[in-house]
Amino acid sequence: MSARDSHRIQVALLCLLVGSLIFGAAGDAQARLSATHPVSLSASEPTAAATASPPVKGLIAMSDDKSSTSIAAEMKAAAALTTKVLAIGSWTPKATPEARLPIMPFEARDTLRLQLTGKIDEWFAKADGSGAVFLMNVTDPAEAHRLLEKLPLGQAGMMTFELIPVGPLWPLGLLLREPVQ
């Protein structure tokens, strides 16, 4: 096999990888990973332990290109980097519409305060009405947990959160490598 063919195969594998990340074909793998490494915390838990998702070994091996060691090192560093936490909130059985109604004005104000202090980048309601989603400007799920449990719904035990550390889409670093001549 020629170097050119090898490069084409690498590019094709990269396209498959990026496509699966974009279109969710990797969802099954993510679901398996989430099942073995959950970071789901409720507001009533006294402490939160952060868990780091282990890198996918095959993808790390692909990044080990000896012709471009600085890019491989950058990709490994990016794979371990958490830049934000995605917090997906769900109502608990305590959160009946009648019980939530008097708390919601306080919840909205305190959530806005977190946004104005830079701890929450974006916040959304789930389209099905089952909770809220926050993109948090923190790097530690334990810190996200502490902030969320201080909110009125957290204090009342009306919402739990799945906390997902996220970072750079490091497999795109494969595009930075120079083609093999």
Side-chain angles (χ1 to χ4, degrees):
M1 175 184 314
S2 71
R4 186 176 197 97
D5 290 337
S6 175
H7 182 255
R8 285 182 180 158
I9 290 171
Q10 285 182 336
V11 169
L13 288 172
L14 174 63
C15 290
L16 287 172
L17 170 66
V18 172
S20 70
L21 289 171
I22 293 171
F23 295 106
D28 292 337
Q30 179 62 35
R32 286 191 302 275
L33 183 60
S34 295
T36 58
H37 294 81
V39 184
S40 181
L41 303 171
S42 72
S44 62
E45 292 179 16
T47 60
T51 60
S53 298
V56 179
K57 290 180 183 173
L59 301 179
I60 293 293
M62 286 174 54
S63 72
D64 288 336
D65 179 8
K66 302 301 180 203
S67 67
S68 181
T69 57
S70 65
I71 292 172
E74 289 171 8
M75 288 174 53
K76 285 181 182 180
L81 182 63
T82 296
T83 57
K84 297 191 184 290
V85 173
L86 181 65
I88 302 173
S90 298
W91 298 118
T92 68
K94 290 182 181 181
T96 64
E98 300 79 27
R100 292 190 315 238
L101 190 60
I103 295 176
M104 291 310 293
F106 300 101
E107 179 77 11
R109 273 194 294 272
D110 289 354
T111 303
L112 181 57
R113 283 186 182 106
L114 285 177
Q115 185 175 29
L116 292 174
T117 59
K119 294 297 183 180
I120 292 179
D121 256 354
E122 299 179 48
W123 44 321
F124 307 92
K126 288 181 178 178
D128 64 1
S130 65
V133 177
F134 302 120
L135 182 58
M136 301 189 70
N137 235 351
V138 298
T139 58
D140 182 12
E143 181 183 0
H145 175 68
R146 283 191 297 278
L147 293 169
L148 294 169
E149 75 177 2
K150 288 180 184 176
L151 292 173
L153 288 171
Q155 290 178 11
M158 292 189 187
M159 186 162 286
T160 60
F161 287 90
E162 177 185 3
L163 302 174
I164 304 169
V166 297
L169 188 56
W170 61 268
L172 292 178
L174 293 170
L175 297 173
L176 299 175
R177 293 192 294 190
E178 294 294 323
V180 178
Q181 298 295 329

